[in-house]
mmCIF file of all heavy atoms in Angstrom:
data_model
loop_
_atom_site.group_PDB
_atom_site.id
_atom_site.type_symbol
_atom_site.label_atom_id
_atom_site.label_comp_id
_atom_site.label_asym_id
_atom_site.label_seq_id
_atom_site.Cartn_x
_atom_site.Cartn_y
_atom_site.Cartn_z
ATOM 1 N N ALA A 266 -49.181 63.382 -12.783
ATOM 2 C CA ALA A 266 -50.240 64.329 -13.146
ATOM 3 C C ALA A 266 -49.826 65.709 -12.921
ATOM 4 O O ALA A 266 -49.067 65.998 -11.939
ATOM 5 C CB ALA A 266 -51.482 63.936 -12.374
ATOM 6 N N GLN A 267 -50.262 66.589 -13.735
ATOM 7 C CA GLN A 267 -50.178 68.039 -13.541
ATOM 8 C C GLN A 267 -51.510 68.609 -14.097
ATOM 9 O O GLN A 267 -51.608 68.802 -15.296
ATOM 10 C CB GLN A 267 -49.000 68.624 -14.295
ATOM 11 C CG GLN A 267 -48.267 69.776 -13.572
ATOM 12 C CD GLN A 267 -49.117 71.065 -13.496
ATOM 13 O OE1 GLN A 267 -50.316 71.046 -13.664
ATOM 14 N NE2 GLN A 267 -48.496 72.139 -13.229
ATOM 15 N N ILE A 268 -52.436 68.785 -13.189
ATOM 16 C CA ILE A 268 -53.823 69.062 -13.644
ATOM 17 C C ILE A 268 -54.272 70.467 -13.250
ATOM 18 O O ILE A 268 -55.462 70.783 -13.164
ATOM 19 C CB ILE A 268 -54.815 68.061 -13.080
ATOM 20 C CG1 ILE A 268 -54.710 67.991 -11.584
ATOM 21 C CG2 ILE A 268 -54.561 66.662 -13.743
ATOM 22 C CD1 ILE A 268 -55.710 66.952 -10.966
ATOM 23 N N ASP A 269 -53.300 71.351 -13.050
ATOM 24 C CA ASP A 269 -53.651 72.762 -12.810
ATOM 25 C C ASP A 269 -53.953 73.407 -14.173
ATOM 26 O O ASP A 269 -53.065 73.617 -15.015
ATOM 27 C CB ASP A 269 -52.440 73.468 -12.172
ATOM 28 C CG ASP A 269 -52.766 74.935 -11.831
ATOM 29 O OD1 ASP A 269 -53.748 75.482 -12.370
ATOM 30 O OD2 ASP A 269 -52.066 75.527 -10.991
ATOM 31 N N CYS A 270 -55.264 73.696 -14.416
ATOM 32 C CA CYS A 270 -55.735 74.172 -15.699
ATOM 33 C C CYS A 270 -55.586 75.677 -15.865
ATOM 34 O O CYS A 270 -56.165 76.268 -16.800
ATOM 35 C CB CYS A 270 -57.175 73.730 -15.948
ATOM 36 S SG CYS A 270 -57.342 71.967 -16.116
ATOM 37 N N THR A 271 -54.835 76.357 -14.993
ATOM 38 C CA THR A 271 -54.616 77.760 -15.162
ATOM 39 C C THR A 271 -53.529 78.063 -16.212
ATOM 40 O O THR A 271 -53.354 79.240 -16.581
ATOM 41 C CB THR A 271 -54.214 78.461 -13.796
ATOM 42 O OG1 THR A 271 -52.958 77.819 -13.323
ATOM 43 C CG2 THR A 271 -55.248 78.233 -12.768
ATOM 44 N N HIS A 272 -52.844 77.022 -16.689
ATOM 45 C CA HIS A 272 -51.804 77.266 -17.683
ATOM 46 C C HIS A 272 -51.594 75.929 -18.468
ATOM 47 O O HIS A 272 -51.967 74.843 -17.973
ATOM 48 C CB HIS A 272 -50.493 77.629 -16.982
ATOM 49 C CG HIS A 272 -49.898 76.543 -16.121
ATOM 50 N ND1 HIS A 272 -50.352 76.272 -14.884
ATOM 51 C CD2 HIS A 272 -48.858 75.662 -16.352
ATOM 52 C CE1 HIS A 272 -49.676 75.286 -14.344
ATOM 53 N NE2 HIS A 272 -48.753 74.883 -15.246
ATOM 54 N N THR A 273 -51.069 76.079 -19.653
ATOM 55 C CA THR A 273 -50.719 74.864 -20.480
ATOM 56 C C THR A 273 -49.320 74.484 -20.197
ATOM 57 O O THR A 273 -48.503 75.243 -19.607
ATOM 58 C CB THR A 273 -50.885 75.203 -21.941
ATOM 59 O OG1 THR A 273 -50.013 76.290 -22.333
ATOM 60 C CG2 THR A 273 -52.344 75.622 -22.288
ATOM 61 N N LYS A 274 -49.017 73.261 -20.625
ATOM 62 C CA LYS A 274 -47.597 72.748 -20.532
ATOM 63 C C LYS A 274 -47.356 71.913 -21.743
ATOM 64 O O LYS A 274 -48.280 71.303 -22.292
ATOM 65 C CB LYS A 274 -47.386 71.942 -19.231
ATOM 66 C CG LYS A 274 -48.519 71.102 -18.781
ATOM 67 C CD LYS A 274 -49.387 71.849 -17.783
ATOM 68 C CE LYS A 274 -50.617 71.030 -17.347
ATOM 69 N NZ LYS A 274 -51.486 71.855 -16.525
ATOM 70 N N GLY A 275 -46.112 71.819 -22.156
ATOM 71 C CA GLY A 275 -45.802 71.087 -23.394
ATOM 72 C C GLY A 275 -44.333 70.820 -23.537
ATOM 73 O O GLY A 275 -43.472 71.222 -22.702
ATOM 74 N N GLY A 276 -44.031 70.080 -24.590
ATOM 75 C CA GLY A 276 -42.608 69.730 -24.889
ATOM 76 C C GLY A 276 -42.067 68.586 -24.075
ATOM 77 O O GLY A 276 -40.855 68.500 -23.789
ATOM 78 N N LEU A 277 -42.963 67.612 -23.703
ATOM 79 C CA LEU A 277 -42.554 66.465 -22.844
ATOM 80 C C LEU A 277 -42.591 65.178 -23.635
ATOM 81 O O LEU A 277 -43.595 64.891 -24.274
ATOM 82 C CB LEU A 277 -43.518 66.379 -21.641
ATOM 83 C CG LEU A 277 -43.293 65.212 -20.701
ATOM 84 C CD1 LEU A 277 -41.941 65.345 -19.966
ATOM 85 C CD2 LEU A 277 -44.442 65.068 -19.723
ATOM 86 N N CYS A 278 -41.537 64.370 -23.486
ATOM 87 C CA CYS A 278 -41.503 63.034 -24.016
ATOM 88 C C CYS A 278 -41.728 61.988 -22.895
ATOM 89 O O CYS A 278 -40.999 62.103 -21.834
ATOM 90 C CB CYS A 278 -40.155 62.728 -24.696
ATOM 91 S SG CYS A 278 -39.962 63.319 -26.369
ATOM 92 N N VAL A 279 -42.675 61.102 -23.049
ATOM 93 C CA VAL A 279 -42.890 60.041 -22.099
ATOM 94 C C VAL A 279 -42.437 58.679 -22.749
ATOM 95 O O VAL A 279 -43.009 58.301 -23.710
ATOM 96 C CB VAL A 279 -44.367 59.946 -21.756
ATOM 97 C CG1 VAL A 279 -44.618 58.811 -20.748
ATOM 98 C CG2 VAL A 279 -44.876 61.275 -21.148
ATOM 99 N N ASP A 280 -41.395 58.152 -22.167
ATOM 100 C CA ASP A 280 -40.889 56.871 -22.712
ATOM 101 C C ASP A 280 -41.423 55.626 -22.081
ATOM 102 O O ASP A 280 -42.082 54.799 -22.722
ATOM 103 C CB ASP A 280 -39.336 56.882 -22.573
ATOM 104 C CG ASP A 280 -38.708 55.572 -22.980
ATOM 105 O OD1 ASP A 280 -39.263 54.930 -23.921
ATOM 106 O OD2 ASP A 280 -37.743 55.133 -22.349
ATOM 107 N N SER A 281 -41.245 55.511 -20.792
ATOM 108 C CA SER A 281 -41.607 54.249 -20.115
ATOM 109 C C SER A 281 -41.603 54.406 -18.614
ATOM 110 O O SER A 281 -41.269 55.462 -18.079
ATOM 111 C CB SER A 281 -40.663 53.146 -20.525
ATOM 112 O OG SER A 281 -39.293 53.579 -20.219
ATOM 113 N N VAL A 282 -42.050 53.344 -17.932
ATOM 114 C CA VAL A 282 -41.982 53.244 -16.490
ATOM 115 C C VAL A 282 -41.125 52.054 -16.142
ATOM 116 O O VAL A 282 -41.243 50.983 -16.771
ATOM 117 C CB VAL A 282 -43.415 53.051 -15.892
ATOM 118 C CG1 VAL A 282 -43.306 52.740 -14.402
ATOM 119 C CG2 VAL A 282 -44.231 54.285 -16.124
ATOM 120 N N PHE A 283 -40.223 52.239 -15.182
ATOM 121 C CA PHE A 283 -39.344 51.156 -14.701
ATOM 122 C C PHE A 283 -39.778 50.759 -13.326
ATOM 123 O O PHE A 283 -40.036 51.620 -12.428
ATOM 124 C CB PHE A 283 -37.853 51.609 -14.652
ATOM 125 C CG PHE A 283 -37.228 51.700 -16.008
ATOM 126 C CD1 PHE A 283 -37.124 52.946 -16.651
ATOM 127 C CD2 PHE A 283 -36.727 50.566 -16.630
ATOM 128 C CE1 PHE A 283 -36.537 53.014 -17.920
ATOM 129 C CE2 PHE A 283 -36.138 50.646 -17.891
ATOM 130 C CZ PHE A 283 -36.016 51.843 -18.488
#
Side-chain angles (χ1 to χ4, degrees):
Q267 216 293 18
I268 55 177
D269 184 341
C270 293
T271 60
H272 65 282
T273 62
K274 37 267 176 186
L277 176 69
C278 279
V279 179
D280 172 35
S281 55
V282 171
F283 285 98

